[in-house]
């Protein structure tokens, strides 16, 4: 991208312009908006228990790493890339790991059924139990999670348990910060 301050360059019809609120202009042929992501918070009962963790930052990663020491079991809620990687790492630490996903296969929005099956076999062979087409209804326990209740009435009991939740696409304020023109 070519950056311009102050005076405008001669127009180039194939280029598009992006102008920030500060007045800076950027020319480009193609523009990709990557708004990032944010941790998806559980909205059911038990989402505030002591051993429910969200992975948003390097600090969160350190907390998960230190709090997983000595854990016997973990439930990962959400089967995106980060959820799958956390599940893999925990299973490698000999922690009984269950991955709960809403879809009928892992990464269904990204991979073909054959590729999803490959990754499911890969992770299952490494000790990750995958529960498909399930929604978390609630997390139960007094101070810490003792059970994960799934929407279809199945229950996954784990004692003690650590829970991690997935991410959702970011919803930034791009429209307020800059304007795109042709």
């Amino acid at each position: 991208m070519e950056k311009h301050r102050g005076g405008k360059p001669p127009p180039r019809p194939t280029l598009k312009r992006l102008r920030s609120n500060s007045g800076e202009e950027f020319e480009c042929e193609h523009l990709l908006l990557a708004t990032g992501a944010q941790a998806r918070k559980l909205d059911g009962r038990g989402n505030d228990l002591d051993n429910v963790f969200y992975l948003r930052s390097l600090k969160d990663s350190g907390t998960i790493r230190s709090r997983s020491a000595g854990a016997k079991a973990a439930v990962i809620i959400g089967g995106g890339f980060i959820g799958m990687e956390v599940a893999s790492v925990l299973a490698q630490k000999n922690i009984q790991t269950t991955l709960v996903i809403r879809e009928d296969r892992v990464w269904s929005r990204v991979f073909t059924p054959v590729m999803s099956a490959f990754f499911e076999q890969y992770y299952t062979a490494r000790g990750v139990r995958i529960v498909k087409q399930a929604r978390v209804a609630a997390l139960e326990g007094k101070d810490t999670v003792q059970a994960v209740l799934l929407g279809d009435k199945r229950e996954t009991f784990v004692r003690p348990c650590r829970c991690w939740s997935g991410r959702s696409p970011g919803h930034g304020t791009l429209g307020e910060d800059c304007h795109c023109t042709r």
Side-chain angles (χ1 to χ4, degrees):
M1 258 197 245
E2 197 176 325
K3 185 176 175 181
H4 299 284
R5 295 178 192 262
K8 293 186 177 185
R12 292 172 55 188
T14 59
L15 296 181
K16 295 172 182 63
R17 287 206 174 105
L18 178 69
R19 184 174 353 115
S20 71
N21 280 345
S22 68
E24 289 180 285
E25 287 190 4
F26 305 88
E27 284 186 350
C28 59
E29 288 183 34
H30 304 283
L31 178 66
L32 169 68
L33 299 177
T35 61
Q38 58 191 352
R40 178 179 294 147
K41 294 275 191 171
L42 295 172
D43 58 3
R45 185 176 74 240
N47 67 349
D48 58 347
L49 293 171
D50 182 52
N51 56 349
V52 176
F53 303 96
Y54 298 95
L55 182 54
R56 295 177 285 225
S57 66
L58 187 57
K59 182 180 177 188
D60 293 341
S61 176
T63 300
I64 290 169
R65 186 177 302 117
S66 67
R67 296 285 301 270
S68 68
K72 303 276 189 254
V75 176
I76 309 299
I77 302 166
F81 179 75
I82 292 174
M84 293 285 286
E85 284 301 306
V86 171
S88 177
V89 168
L90 294 174
Q92 288 173 10
K93 292 181 171 194
N94 294 318
I95 298 171
Q96 178 188 4
T97 304
T98 301
L99 180 70
V100 177
I101 63 173
R102 292 180 180 183
E103 297 82 16
D104 63 341
R105 58 188 173 89
V106 298
W107 295 335
S108 62
R109 287 177 254 159
V110 179
F111 292 144
T112 65
V114 171
M115 290 180 73
S116 290
F118 169 81
F119 281 103
E120 288 173 18
Q121 290 170 356
Y122 179 87
Y123 282 91
T124 300
R126 282 152 183 79
V128 176
R129 177 177 165 238
I130 302 173
V131 179
K132 302 175 195 174
Q133 294 181 305
R135 293 183 185 268
V136 174
L139 305 175
E140 289 193 338
K142 185 176 179 185
D143 297 318
T144 61
V145 176
Q146 297 298 312
V148 178
L149 280 83
L150 303 179
D152 58 5
K153 305 299 180 198
R154 287 181 294 170
E155 297 180 5
T156 304
F157 286 97
V158 286
R159 290 183 175 89
C161 160
R162 309 287 195 261
C163 290
W164 290 270
S165 182
R167 296 166 57 96
S168 62
H171 304 287
T173 57
L174 181 63
E176 297 171 10
D177 296 332
C178 58
H179 309 280
C180 188
T181 59
R182 285 199 124 166

